[in-house]
Amino acid sequence: MAQSLQVAPLDSPSETAEQWAPVFKALGDPVRLEITLLLAARPRTVKELQEALGHNQALVSHHLRTLRDQGVVTCNPRGRSNVYEIQIDPLACLAQCLTSMVSPTDPDCACPPSAS
């Protein structure tokens, strides 16, 4: 289950920036951002992420470790596999909105349509 990041009051943008900067830094790598976008759709195993990304297990695991260290994703054992999912609700929403910019026909996205 994802959790909400404790966001500072609106009158304190510097505290909010301090809280979110490590998360956005972790997402600064294209592979980690792609993993996050995939996990926004549904939880996945390392093998599923490997197949979707076309990268080897070591590289996928390396990026997942960084995302786990920053609290972006969580890992839950299921049988012989580990299932990863997004840990931060607002980040899941952001990832779904980013995906909808590419696929605006997603009926589950509450984002406004992009202006053409």
Side-chain angles (χ1 to χ4, degrees):
M1 181 59 117
Q3 71 180 19
S4 294
L5 183 67
Q6 295 299 319
V7 179
L10 291 176
D11 61 354
S12 181
S14 63
E15 288 179 23
T16 302
E18 285 292 323
Q19 289 177 316
W20 279 96
V23 172
F24 284 110
K25 184 175 181 180
L27 297 175
D29 181 280
V31 175
R32 289 193 292 267
L33 182 56
E34 189 173 5
I35 288 170
T36 304
L37 293 172
L38 289 167
L39 294 177
R42 66 176 173 82
R44 297 173 191 255
T45 65
V46 174
K47 182 173 177 144
E48 290 172 321
L49 290 169
Q50 259 182 268
E51 291 169 357
L53 296 166
H55 296 301
N56 65 41
Q57 182 270 331
L59 182 65
V60 172
S61 292
H62 167 76
H63 287 295
L64 284 167
R65 168 97 190 207
T66 300
L67 293 171
R68 272 194 336 260
D69 289 347
Q70 292 305 320
V72 174
V73 300
T74 138
C75 175
N76 300 302
R78 186 179 301 152
R80 298 177 80 185
S81 299
N82 289 321
V83 178
Y84 288 85
E85 64 182 313
I86 291 183
Q87 177 72 13
I88 304 169
D89 284 333
L91 187 57
C93 181
L94 175 61
Q96 289 171 349
C97 288
L98 290 173
T99 300
S100 76
M101 288 197 238
V102 177
S103 303
T105 58
D106 181 0
D108 295 329
C109 183
C111 300
S114 58
S116 299

